Amino acid sequence: MSENNFRVSPRSLKTTISKVETDKIITRGYNQRDLIEKIRYSDMIYLLLKGKLPSIKEGKIFNHVLVSFCDHGVTPPSTQTARLVASSGSPINSAVAGALLSFGHKHAGAIQKTMELYQSKINSLYLTEDSALDNKQIASLAIDIYNEFILGEKKIPGFGHRYHNVDPRADKLMDIVIKEGFVGPHIKLALAVEDLAYQKKGIRLNVDGANAAILSDLGFDPETGLGIFIIGRIPGIIAHINEEKMEEDEFRRFCDLDDIEYYGR
């Protein structure tokens, strides 16, 4: 067999994200020297993920989303896992990895499911420039979701919270987008569903439901939405890891022998 069959192309890896040259880095077409000086960290994340810089309004809204994700105390499994790993003396990267591995269907998965729900419903519409007609169509979709989930006795993704009657993060985010005039079809749908869900069941949007609508109106796909949640949550996780290492005993017990009930043979 010819040796040419085993030859690897010197340009086998392609990217539109960044180009590194001697003494120069280009990211999405911009010199990183300029980006360091002129934009916020949240704008850089937006640029990397979307391939373009946000408008002033988009940048402000996206920054609010990231801040809202940053921390929810010691209650989430990811934070508890990170602290448990850190208590064993593992390095910070191992503790962060433990937190990331704790994200799953029951924790952090809601934002992706909610974005999929909102986007599938809105994509089924033919939106016009007539806001009255579009709002009527969106209200009809909200009723469909209500019938499917509430009447079907299924949990609506992005609604309700085990600790909050009113999730303060979701409530504030919706106040902000209304104040900023950033209310697209996905946010309209989320608010319409919330009206119905609250009237009938007393449940409100949670932070995942609010951000799923905002990120959908910003044009992000559901899998990237989950990634944005991870980006937002990492600072809080690192803070908890540092606190665990500095303030708590090493290898501290999360349960005692008396807490364990053995029921095997």
Side-chain angles (χ1 to χ4, degrees), residues 80-245:
Q80 294 177 25
T81 300
R83 296 189 74 130
L84 179 61
V85 174
S87 78
S88 73
S90 296
I92 190 170
N93 57 298
S94 297
V96 170
L100 293 177
L101 291 171
S102 298
F103 295 141
H105 177 68
K106 299 294 184 180
H107 173 39
I111 188 164
Q112 182 171 340
K113 289 187 292 185
T114 311
M115 289 178 75
E116 289 170 348
L117 174 64
Y118 292 162
Q119 292 182 23
S120 66
K121 294 297 184 181
I122 294 300
N123 289 342
S124 70
L125 299 181
Y126 177 73
L127 296 175
T128 69
E129 296 298 321
D130 186 335
S131 60
L133 177 58
D134 290 343
N135 290 343
K136 186 175 181 180
Q137 292 188 82
I138 291 170
S140 179
L141 287 182
I143 294 172
D144 291 343
I145 292 174
Y146 171 81
N147 290 337
E148 177 183 353
F149 287 91
I150 298 295
L151 296 186
E153 298 185 348
K154 298 188 295 182
K155 185 180 184 303
I156 309 176
F159 282 80
H161 199 282
R162 56 179 176 160
Y163 296 120
H164 308 300
N165 294 321
V166 178
D167 190 327
R169 301 162 296 177
D171 195 49
K172 184 62 176 179
L173 285 164
M174 291 296 99
D175 285 346
I176 289 170
V177 294
I178 292 170
K179 179 181 176 182
E180 293 288 339
F182 187 82
V183 181
H186 301 93
I187 293 174
K188 288 181 179 179
L189 177 59
L191 291 172
V193 174
E194 183 180 49
D195 284 343
L196 291 171
Y198 184 69
Q199 289 175 25
K200 304 297 183 180
K201 292 291 184 178
I203 57 175
R204 302 279 301 275
L205 279 164
N206 59 35
V207 69
D208 293 318
N211 280 329
I214 294 170
L215 291 173
S216 293
D217 278 341
L218 283 170
F220 289 100
D221 65 82
E223 287 193 4
T224 304
L226 175 58
I228 293 168
F229 168 83
I230 293 171
I231 292 168
R233 183 54 59 91
I234 289 294
I237 287 171
I238 292 174
H240 281 280
I241 292 168
N242 286 339
E243 183 178 72
E244 184 71 28
K245 287 179 174 291

Side-chain angles (χ1 to χ4, degrees), residues 23-37:
D23 303 332
K24 187 176 183 180
I25 306 170
I26 300 297
T27 298
R28 297 293 195 185
Y30 296 92
N31 191 314
Q32 272 203 25
R33 288 175 60 90
D34 297 329
L35 295 173
I36 290 168
E37 180 182 8

